[in-house]
PDB file of all heavy atoms in Angstrom:
ATOM      1  N   PRO A1100     -11.644  12.572  22.802  1.00  0.00           N
ATOM      2  CA  PRO A1100     -10.561  11.843  23.399  1.00  0.00           C
ATOM      3  C   PRO A1100     -10.000  12.526  24.635  1.00  0.00           C
ATOM      4  O   PRO A1100      -9.406  11.876  25.501  1.00  0.00           O
ATOM      5  CB  PRO A1100      -9.524  11.762  22.317  1.00  0.00           C
ATOM      6  CG  PRO A1100     -10.311  11.774  21.024  1.00  0.00           C
ATOM      7  CD  PRO A1100     -11.450  12.732  21.312  1.00  0.00           C
ATOM      8  N   ALA A1101     -10.204  13.822  24.767  1.00  0.00           N
ATOM      9  CA  ALA A1101      -9.766  14.494  25.982  1.00  0.00           C
ATOM     10  C   ALA A1101     -10.351  13.965  27.247  1.00  0.00           C
ATOM     11  O   ALA A1101      -9.782  14.058  28.334  1.00  0.00           O
ATOM     12  CB  ALA A1101     -10.060  16.039  25.838  1.00  0.00           C
ATOM     13  N   ASN A1102     -11.547  13.341  27.104  1.00  0.00           N
ATOM     14  CA  ASN A1102     -12.292  12.834  28.237  1.00  0.00           C
ATOM     15  C   ASN A1102     -12.304  11.282  28.291  1.00  0.00           C
ATOM     16  O   ASN A1102     -12.806  10.718  29.234  1.00  0.00           O
ATOM     17  CB  ASN A1102     -13.707  13.311  28.261  1.00  0.00           C
ATOM     18  CG  ASN A1102     -13.797  14.823  28.348  1.00  0.00           C
ATOM     19  OD1 ASN A1102     -13.133  15.456  29.183  1.00  0.00           O
ATOM     20  ND2 ASN A1102     -14.610  15.430  27.473  1.00  0.00           N
ATOM     21  N   THR A1103     -11.711  10.630  27.305  1.00  0.00           N
ATOM     22  CA  THR A1103     -11.729   9.149  27.285  1.00  0.00           C
ATOM     23  C   THR A1103     -10.345   8.501  27.231  1.00  0.00           C
ATOM     24  O   THR A1103     -10.207   7.369  27.653  1.00  0.00           O
ATOM     25  CB  THR A1103     -12.605   8.682  26.065  1.00  0.00           C
ATOM     26  OG1 THR A1103     -11.898   9.040  24.865  1.00  0.00           O
ATOM     27  CG2 THR A1103     -13.991   9.286  26.061  1.00  0.00           C
ATOM     28  N   LEU A1104      -9.401   9.186  26.656  1.00  0.00           N
ATOM     29  CA  LEU A1104      -8.072   8.590  26.421  1.00  0.00           C
ATOM     30  C   LEU A1104      -7.344   8.396  27.728  1.00  0.00           C
ATOM     31  O   LEU A1104      -7.087   9.361  28.476  1.00  0.00           O
ATOM     32  CB  LEU A1104      -7.284   9.476  25.457  1.00  0.00           C
ATOM     33  CG  LEU A1104      -6.009   8.913  24.886  1.00  0.00           C
ATOM     34  CD1 LEU A1104      -6.323   7.648  24.012  1.00  0.00           C
ATOM     35  CD2 LEU A1104      -5.239   9.917  24.081  1.00  0.00           C
ATOM     36  N   THR A1105      -6.943   7.182  28.027  1.00  0.00           N
ATOM     37  CA  THR A1105      -6.220   6.841  29.251  1.00  0.00           C
ATOM     38  C   THR A1105      -4.755   6.459  28.989  1.00  0.00           C
ATOM     39  O   THR A1105      -3.954   6.513  29.929  1.00  0.00           O
ATOM     40  CB  THR A1105      -6.920   5.715  29.999  1.00  0.00           C
ATOM     41  OG1 THR A1105      -6.902   4.532  29.159  1.00  0.00           O
ATOM     42  CG2 THR A1105      -8.334   6.067  30.374  1.00  0.00           C
ATOM     43  N   ASP A1106      -4.442   6.070  27.775  1.00  0.00           N
ATOM     44  CA  ASP A1106      -3.083   5.540  27.493  1.00  0.00           C
ATOM     45  C   ASP A1106      -2.599   6.115  26.179  1.00  0.00           C
ATOM     46  O   ASP A1106      -3.212   5.899  25.129  1.00  0.00           O
ATOM     47  CB  ASP A1106      -3.150   4.027  27.426  1.00  0.00           C
ATOM     48  CG  ASP A1106      -1.755   3.364  27.453  1.00  0.00           C
ATOM     49  OD1 ASP A1106      -0.811   3.870  26.855  1.00  0.00           O
ATOM     50  OD2 ASP A1106      -1.628   2.315  28.119  1.00  0.00           O
ATOM     51  N   LEU A1107      -1.449   6.829  26.219  1.00  0.00           N
ATOM     52  CA  LEU A1107      -0.908   7.435  25.021  1.00  0.00           C
ATOM     53  C   LEU A1107       0.596   7.137  24.913  1.00  0.00           C
ATOM     54  O   LEU A1107       1.339   7.235  25.909  1.00  0.00           O
ATOM     55  CB  LEU A1107      -1.099   8.958  25.016  1.00  0.00           C
ATOM     56  CG  LEU A1107      -0.495   9.722  23.842  1.00  0.00           C
ATOM     57  CD1 LEU A1107      -1.187   9.373  22.528  1.00  0.00           C
ATOM     58  CD2 LEU A1107      -0.582  11.240  24.098  1.00  0.00           C
ATOM     59  N   GLU A1108       1.044   6.743  23.717  1.00  0.00           N
ATOM     60  CA  GLU A1108       2.423   6.413  23.510  1.00  0.00           C
ATOM     61  C   GLU A1108       2.942   7.012  22.198  1.00  0.00           C
ATOM     62  O   GLU A1108       2.332   6.829  21.124  1.00  0.00           O
ATOM     63  CB  GLU A1108       2.537   4.869  23.454  1.00  0.00           C
ATOM     64  CG  GLU A1108       3.919   4.271  23.449  1.00  0.00           C
ATOM     65  CD  GLU A1108       3.878   2.794  23.577  1.00  0.00           C
ATOM     66  OE1 GLU A1108       3.345   2.287  24.582  1.00  0.00           O
ATOM     67  OE2 GLU A1108       4.340   2.153  22.635  1.00  0.00           O
ATOM     68  N   ILE A1109       4.006   7.812  22.320  1.00  0.00           N
ATOM     69  CA  ILE A1109       4.613   8.401  21.116  1.00  0.00           C
ATOM     70  C   ILE A1109       6.128   8.150  21.147  1.00  0.00           C
ATOM     71  O   ILE A1109       6.791   8.696  22.044  1.00  0.00           O
ATOM     72  CB  ILE A1109       4.308   9.901  20.997  1.00  0.00           C
ATOM     73  CG1 ILE A1109       2.809  10.199  21.042  1.00  0.00           C
ATOM     74  CG2 ILE A1109       4.918  10.504  19.798  1.00  0.00           C
ATOM     75  CD1 ILE A1109       2.444  11.696  21.056  1.00  0.00           C
ATOM     76  N   VAL A1110       6.593   7.373  20.210  1.00  0.00           N
ATOM     77  CA  VAL A1110       7.999   7.054  20.147  1.00  0.00           C
ATOM     78  C   VAL A1110       8.583   7.393  18.782  1.00  0.00           C
ATOM     79  O   VAL A1110       7.951   7.036  17.771  1.00  0.00           O
ATOM     80  CB  VAL A1110       8.239   5.526  20.448  1.00  0.00           C
ATOM     81  CG1 VAL A1110       9.669   5.141  20.168  1.00  0.00           C
ATOM     82  CG2 VAL A1110       7.865   5.252  21.925  1.00  0.00           C
ATOM     83  N   LEU A1111       9.664   8.083  18.757  1.00  0.00           N
ATOM     84  CA  LEU A1111      10.390   8.421  17.495  1.00  0.00           C
ATOM     85  C   LEU A1111       9.537   9.262  16.612  1.00  0.00           C
ATOM     86  O   LEU A1111       8.960   8.750  15.637  1.00  0.00           O
ATOM     87  CB  LEU A1111      10.912   7.188  16.805  1.00  0.00           C
ATOM     88  CG  LEU A1111      12.161   7.398  15.917  1.00  0.00           C
ATOM     89  CD1 LEU A1111      12.969   6.149  15.764  1.00  0.00           C
ATOM     90  CD2 LEU A1111      11.770   7.902  14.540  1.00  0.00           C
ATOM     91  N   ASN A1112       9.439  10.553  16.881  1.00  0.00           N
ATOM     92  CA  ASN A1112       8.702  11.446  16.090  1.00  0.00           C
ATOM     93  C   ASN A1112       9.459  12.776  16.000  1.00  0.00           C
ATOM     94  O   ASN A1112       9.684  13.421  17.009  1.00  0.00           O
ATOM     95  CB  ASN A1112       7.342  11.716  16.698  1.00  0.00           C
ATOM     96  CG  ASN A1112       6.413  12.596  15.847  1.00  0.00           C
ATOM     97  OD1 ASN A1112       6.825  13.701  15.479  1.00  0.00           O
ATOM     98  ND2 ASN A1112       5.248  12.132  15.516  1.00  0.00           N
ATOM     99  N   PRO A1113       9.834  13.180  14.779  1.00  0.00           N
ATOM    100  CA  PRO A1113      10.645  14.374  14.619  1.00  0.00           C
ATOM    101  C   PRO A1113       9.829  15.663  14.492  1.00  0.00           C
ATOM    102  O   PRO A1113      10.356  16.737  14.132  1.00  0.00           O
ATOM    103  CB  PRO A1113      11.400  14.107  13.309  1.00  0.00           C
ATOM    104  CG  PRO A1113      10.430  13.319  12.512  1.00  0.00           C
ATOM    105  CD  PRO A1113       9.642  12.450  13.487  1.00  0.00           C
ATOM    106  N   CYS A1114       8.478  15.580  14.692  1.00  0.00           N
ATOM    107  CA  CYS A1114       7.654  16.715  14.535  1.00  0.00           C
ATOM    108  C   CYS A1114       6.995  17.231  15.800  1.00  0.00           C
ATOM    109  O   CYS A1114       6.464  18.319  15.866  1.00  0.00           O
ATOM    110  CB  CYS A1114       6.518  16.345  13.503  1.00  0.00           C
ATOM    111  SG  CYS A1114       7.089  15.934  11.886  1.00  0.00           S
ATOM    112  N   VAL A1115       6.985  16.401  16.868  1.00  0.00           N
ATOM    113  CA  VAL A1115       6.447  16.825  18.185  1.00  0.00           C
ATOM    114  C   VAL A1115       7.464  17.658  18.843  1.00  0.00           C
ATOM    115  O   VAL A1115       8.622  17.297  18.949  1.00  0.00           O
ATOM    116  CB  VAL A1115       6.061  15.561  19.010  1.00  0.00           C
ATOM    117  CG1 VAL A1115       5.664  16.006  20.425  1.00  0.00           C
ATOM    118  CG2 VAL A1115       4.933  14.808  18.360  1.00  0.00           C
ATOM    119  N   THR A1116       7.046  18.840  19.321  1.00  0.00           N
ATOM    120  CA  THR A1116       7.958  19.792  19.951  1.00  0.00           C
ATOM    121  C   THR A1116       7.507  20.066  21.415  1.00  0.00           C
ATOM    122  O   THR A1116       6.536  19.492  21.909  1.00  0.00           O
ATOM    123  CB  THR A1116       7.930  21.114  19.167  1.00  0.00           C
ATOM    124  OG1 THR A1116       6.661  21.806  19.449  1.00  0.00           O
ATOM    125  CG2 THR A1116       8.080  20.918  17.684  1.00  0.00           C
ATOM    126  N   ASP A1117       8.247  20.923  22.054  1.00  0.00           N
ATOM    127  CA  ASP A1117       7.946  21.312  23.411  1.00  0.00           C
ATOM    128  C   ASP A1117       6.515  21.895  23.566  1.00  0.00           C
ATOM    129  O   ASP A1117       5.886  21.729  24.589  1.00  0.00           O
ATOM    130  CB  ASP A1117       8.960  22.363  23.947  1.00  0.00           C
ATOM    131  CG  ASP A1117      10.358  21.823  24.078  1.00  0.00           C
ATOM    132  OD1 ASP A1117      11.015  21.759  23.032  1.00  0.00           O
ATOM    133  OD2 ASP A1117      10.767  21.504  25.147  1.00  0.00           O
ATOM    134  N   GLY A1118       6.073  22.521  22.482  1.00  0.00           N
ATOM    135  CA  GLY A1118       4.768  23.089  22.498  1.00  0.00           C
ATOM    136  C   GLY A1118       3.586  22.134  22.641  1.00  0.00           C
ATOM    137  O   GLY A1118       2.461  22.449  22.994  1.00  0.00           O
ATOM    138  N   ALA A1119       3.875  20.819  22.352  1.00  0.00           N
ATOM    139  CA  ALA A1119       2.866  19.776  22.408  1.00  0.00           C
ATOM    140  C   ALA A1119       2.270  19.616  23.821  1.00  0.00           C
ATOM    141  O   ALA A1119       1.167  19.203  24.024  1.00  0.00           O
ATOM    142  CB  ALA A1119       3.455  18.430  21.903  1.00  0.00           C
TER     143      ALA A1119
END
Side-chain angles (χ1 to χ4, degrees):
N1102 299 314
T1103 66
L1104 191 64
T1105 60
D1106 193 321
L1107 177 66
E1108 189 174 299
I1109 303 176
V1110 170
L1111 204 154
N1112 184 305
C1114 299
V1115 172
T1116 72
D1117 295 80

